[in-house]
Amino acid sequence: MEMFILSLTIFVLAVFVGVEVINKVPPTLHTPLMSGTNAISGIVVVGAIISSGGSEHTTVLSTVLGVAAIALATINIVAGFMVTDRMLNMFKKK
């Protein structure tokens, strides 16, 4: 139980820090920030593939959560690249 409370405390603090950092980003930096987020999502996909892969310690829960993480991170990557491409096209001369 003590480990759960510690983990929950770290998660809540990370959420507050994340919200504060994102709110302080000026609009001109949103495109580079989106590209960085896409890179992080790529790392999430690799980790999810590893966690959902078959090993002696793999459980049904880890497989289901891994597949869900792969699906959601892939959607995030594709949508992020689409938004980034659209934003960059706005700056091209016609």
Side-chain angles (χ1 to χ4, degrees), residues 9-84:
T9 303
I10 292 171
F11 176 74
V12 170
L13 289 174
V15 167
F16 284 128
V17 169
V19 168
E20 286 299 316
V21 168
I22 295 299
N23 285 336
K24 302 254 188 276
V25 173
T28 55
L29 293 179
H30 281 287
T31 301
L33 185 63
M34 181 74 80
S35 298
T37 304
N38 288 338
I40 293 170
S41 291
I43 295 169
V44 169
V45 168
V46 172
I49 290 171
I50 291 170
S51 78
S52 65
S55 75
E56 58 200 46
H57 302 295
T58 303
T59 63
V60 174
L61 179 63
S62 68
T63 302
V64 169
L65 291 176
V67 169
I70 292 169
L72 293 174
T74 302
I75 290 169
N76 189 29
I77 291 169
V78 171
F81 278 122
M82 289 172 60
V83 169
T84 302

